[in-house]
Amino acid sequence: MKPYINATGLVRIFRSDDIETFALQGLDLTVTLGEMIALVGPSGAGKSTFLNLLAGLDRPDAGVLTVGDLNLADANERTRASYRRNTVGFLWQQSTRNLVPGLTAHENVMLPALLAGHDHAVVKQRAYELLDAVEMTAQRNRDPLRMSGGQQQRVALAAALACQPQLLLADEPTGEVDWATAEKILLLLQTLRQQYKLTIVMVTHDPRVAETADRTVAIRDGRTSSEIGTDDIETVVVDSAGRLQIPIEIRQRIGLGQRATVTVVDGVIQITPKRAQVNDYTLNRSTTEQST
Ligand code: ADP
């Protein structure tokens, strides 16, 4: 089956003054329709950069990025704007970033769809339905800024779904609430995912949050490094260039530096540290030096 999201060899380089930062260095990732994935990885690994590309807010410097039938790397600005309005919804860590102060919860949920030019009566009705779906009907006329963090995030979730997106992008959606509240939001996310047939890509640093996804994808140094599926088995990802990332613990355990020999024995790939190389060179050089 064709993946809903296809990222292949994605490269994003940021240039400032004389410094080039390779935020994504050939990232490969596919997501199927209706899947929920969690992106994890150390700070600076490229998670937000990837999320911004998926959001249609930024363009890759190289590689393929498609969502459904849309090629985001090539699409013109008009198509990308329509994609941002109609296909994708965002849920950011700070609920205040998702909401407009001074508007009621109901108005906040209506706003994105009104800005997208949807019919007022339809938008109004749908906002009621969404507030009901996130269990915030009773608070619909309140200013979200006077609500608790959890309630704000519920309203933000309703607002993110205002334009009936297929794809929901969430950046640390429970990063500012306590765990009891986070659990409720995550449960709600699952319910809404079923109800509105959403595909969800969520960035998190919290393993408890990642566990609620179908698959956890670890990004390291701008590349996909490993995945953990529902079977709880960690799989190392081999990217389109044949590269794989060997976890630091394993490299340390076998003393793997920057060189290795790779051999195939009975269908199994063996990676052997090539420690001797530097020593050989030093040895050869000192032997040569002594003899001259
Ligand atoms: P993460 O979300 O995993 O913490 P980011 O995607 O934010 O990582 O960043 C990846 C790398 O790209 C980092 O080295 C970061 O400093 C750099 N970076 C991100 N955005 C920009 C930008 N707009 N300008 C320059 N460098 C950037």
Side-chain angles (χ1 to χ4, degrees):
M1 198 174 75
K2 192 174 162 249
Y4 177 60
I5 297 173
N6 176 21
T8 307
L10 220 50
V11 174
R12 182 70 179 101
I13 306 164
F14 293 109
R15 295 183 178 86
S16 54
D17 301 327
D18 294 337
I19 302 166
E20 283 192 341
T21 307
F22 284 73
L24 298 179
Q25 310 193 50
L27 181 118
D28 292 331
L29 180 65
T30 56
V31 181
T32 55
L33 190 69
E35 196 180 12
M36 176 173 179
I37 69 154
L39 291 181
V40 301
S43 175
K47 304 181 296 295
S48 304
T49 302
F50 179 56
L51 217 56
N52 280 337
L53 294 180
L54 265 185
L57 295 167
D58 188 21
R59 282 179 193 273
D61 291 293
V64 173
L65 182 59
T66 56
V67 176
D69 291 327
L70 180 68
N71 181 342
L72 273 175
D74 284 352
N76 63 30
E77 205 34 62
R78 206 173 144 184
T79 310
R80 288 154 54 82
S82 156
Y83 166 82
R84 285 194 294 268
R85 258 197 320 268
N86 303 312
T87 308
V88 66
F90 312 93
L91 187 62
W92 305 107
Q93 176 174 5
Q94 306 93 342
S95 40
T96 44
R97 189 174 166 191
N98 300 301
L99 302 166
V100 178
L103 298 183
T104 65
H106 187 237
E107 288 164 345
N108 258 290
V109 179
M110 286 175 69
L111 189 65
L114 289 178
L115 291 176
H118 296 200
D119 176 75
H120 192 277
V122 175
V123 169
K124 194 170 172 183
Q125 186 53 34
R126 183 168 166 84
Y128 281 129
E129 282 166 24
L130 283 167
L131 284 167
D132 187 40
V134 298
E135 296 160 17
M136 287 298 288
T137 300
Q139 292 89 347
R140 65 182 181 277
N141 292 324
R142 286 182 55 198
D143 182 344
L145 293 190
R146 295 176 190 280
M147 294 176 182
S148 70
Q151 288 178 327
Q152 286 178 354
Q153 235 17 2
R154 281 169 184 269
V155 177
L157 197 46
L161 303 182
C163 295
Q164 299 177 279
Q166 296 173 340
L167 174 62
L168 180 68
L169 303 176
D171 194 357
E172 300 276 8
T174 55
E176 290 197 339
V177 295
D178 60 50
W179 179 239
T181 308
E183 269 186 310
K184 288 184 193 146
I185 293 173
L186 292 165
L187 199 63
L188 188 60
L189 214 51
Q190 293 291 358
T191 311
L192 295 173
R193 170 194 173 190
Q194 302 291 338
Q195 197 172 340
Y196 296 106
K197 306 209 173 347
L198 299 167
T199 301
I200 302 178
V201 177
M202 169 174 76
V203 166
T204 182
H205 70 276
D206 188 335
R208 295 173 301 182
V209 176
E211 261 179 28
T212 66
D214 300 329
R215 188 159 52 110
T216 299
V217 178
I219 296 185
R220 189 175 282 277
D221 297 331
R223 294 188 189 123
T224 323
S225 71
S226 65
E227 291 185 357
I228 302 176
T230 38
D231 54 8
D232 261 358
I233 295 173
E234 183 162 6
T235 319
V236 176
V237 174
V238 182
D239 73 12
S240 48
R243 292 172 299 208
L244 57 82
Q245 295 188 29
I246 303 171
I248 182 89
E249 315 82 67
I250 295 181
R251 277 183 278 150
Q252 282 173 347
R253 205 184 321 152
I254 68 163
L256 183 61
Q258 290 192 313
R259 296 280 183 283
T261 52
V262 179
T263 46
V264 180
V265 180
D266 294 335
V268 174
I269 297 177
Q270 285 187 345
I271 299 173
T272 312
K274 196 166 180 191
R275 294 195 200 91
Q277 201 175 42
V278 174
N279 295 342
D280 282 354
Y281 172 72
T282 321
L283 204 68
N284 286 343
R285 211 175 64 164
S286 51
T287 319
T288 324
E289 277 163 6
Q290 270 169 22
S291 60
T292 49

